């Protein structure tokens, strides 16, 4: 069971801000911005590059949920804004082998990212 499956199963506590049949959204335990959420599919897809065509709908759902959560947090307007990040593999910065989208906001974002 992955760490995030344990959060989904309520075996590990998390600050959950959204849940539906296909995903869960909770606050990152080590936030890198004033707002730092993780958008996680309930299906334990290890990482984005290993998703299959069967996962197309859930992948799209995660992005739509990102927009809805951003609206709930009042950061969706283009004068505010947010950043989505997916880390794949060791060089990509992946630590938890369960696909997740980072949603970061509340400070200016640098480009290029580190
Ligand atoms: P990544 O490096 O893309 O795999 O991101 C994993 C993220 O999970 C990191 O930003 C961690 O801070 C976060 N994380 C690890 N354990 C927990 C936890 N128990 N609750 C919430 N976030 C966590």
């Amino acid at each position: 069971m992955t760490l995030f499956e344990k959060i989904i199963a309520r075996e590990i506590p998390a600050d959950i801000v959204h849940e539906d049949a296909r995903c869960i959204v909770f606050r990152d335990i080590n936030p890198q911005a004033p707002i730092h959420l993780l958008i996680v599919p309930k299906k334990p897809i290890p990482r984005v590059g290993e998703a299959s065509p069967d996962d197309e709908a859930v992948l799209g759902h995660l992005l739509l949920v990102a927009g809805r959560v951003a609206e709930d947090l009042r950061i969706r307007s283009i004068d505010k804004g947010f950043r989505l990040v997916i880390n794949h593999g060791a060089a990509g910065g992946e630590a938890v082998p369960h696909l997740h989208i980072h949603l970061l906001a509340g400070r200016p974002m640098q480009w290029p990212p580190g």
Side-chain angles (χ1 to χ4, degrees):
M1 216 177 186
T2 68
L3 172 66
F4 293 164
E5 284 178 284
K6 290 178 182 169
I7 288 175
I8 292 163
R10 306 300 200 271
E11 291 178 16
I12 293 176
D15 186 353
I16 296 167
V17 301
H18 169 87
E19 184 172 22
D20 60 46
R22 289 182 285 179
C23 75
I24 192 165
V25 183
F26 51 88
R27 293 189 189 278
D28 197 293
I29 204 167
N30 182 23
Q32 302 302 310
I35 296 171
H36 186 172
L37 305 179
L38 300 175
I39 303 167
V40 181
K42 290 189 172 176
K43 177 179 177 181
I45 301 164
R47 52 196 60 82
V48 67
E50 293 171 22
S52 78
D54 288 347
D55 298 322
E56 185 172 334
V58 71
L59 294 177
H61 181 69
L62 299 177
L63 293 178
L64 290 172
V65 166
R68 283 183 215 140
V69 169
E71 174 60 17
D72 291 345
L73 295 172
R74 298 288 180 260
I75 53 171
R76 197 173 73 171
S77 62
I78 55 168
D79 58 315
K80 294 201 171 160
F82 57 92
R83 177 169 289 174
L84 301 179
V85 174
I86 301 175
N87 297 325
H88 174 117
E94 173 196 313
V96 178
H98 183 146
L99 173 63
H100 48 283
I101 301 175
H102 296 259
L103 188 158
L104 299 144
R107 64 167 170 81
M109 297 293 154
Q110 306 301 311
W111 195 264

